[in-house]
Amino acid sequence: MAKIALELQQQLILSELQQGDPVTSNAYASHCAGALDSDLAYALCLARIHKDASLLQQTLLQLDALLGETLRVFCEAEAVRRIAALQTCREVAGRA
């Protein structure tokens, strides 16, 4: 049952991201920003400063790869967080 709940939450999170839910999108952006290495951030800044379209295209491809790598990790962590929050709410409500 717990595995099914986890998978359903992950599907819900993916759906929210696809629909542009602002809360989920901001959480994912924060997660991705934390995974962004300094070299990629530097290259993005440098490309914009120098208006270097080639460098910008290359760094955006690297950013896309990072987004792809972090999506699964984010969905898993967010699903676990949501389930834990729901369990806590149920426990608190049960005491009331």
Side-chain angles (χ1 to χ4, degrees):
M1 183 70 155
K3 184 177 179 181
I4 293 171
L6 187 63
E7 290 173 0
L8 289 174
Q9 269 304 323
Q10 289 175 357
Q11 290 173 2
L12 176 63
I13 293 162
L14 282 172
S15 176
E16 290 172 358
L17 288 170
Q18 291 168 346
Q19 294 174 15
D21 176 77
V23 173
T24 306
S25 295
N26 284 330
Y28 182 43
S30 178
H31 175 83
C32 291
L36 192 65
D37 68 29
S38 60
D39 290 341
L40 183 54
Y42 180 83
L44 284 166
C45 292
L46 192 61
R48 293 298 291 165
I49 290 166
H50 291 288
K51 297 179 177 45
D52 185 333
S54 177
L55 180 58
L56 182 59
Q57 182 180 10
Q58 180 184 3
T59 55
L60 288 175
L61 288 173
Q62 291 174 350
L63 181 59
D64 287 344
L66 176 71
L67 290 171
E69 294 167 9
T70 60
L71 180 60
R72 181 187 55 79
V73 174
F74 171 76
C75 287
E76 288 174 0
E78 181 64 9
V80 168
R81 187 198 66 77
R82 289 181 183 188
I83 291 169
L86 179 60
Q87 288 172 341
T88 300
C89 288
R90 286 182 179 161
E91 290 172 6
V92 169
R95 290 184 219 145

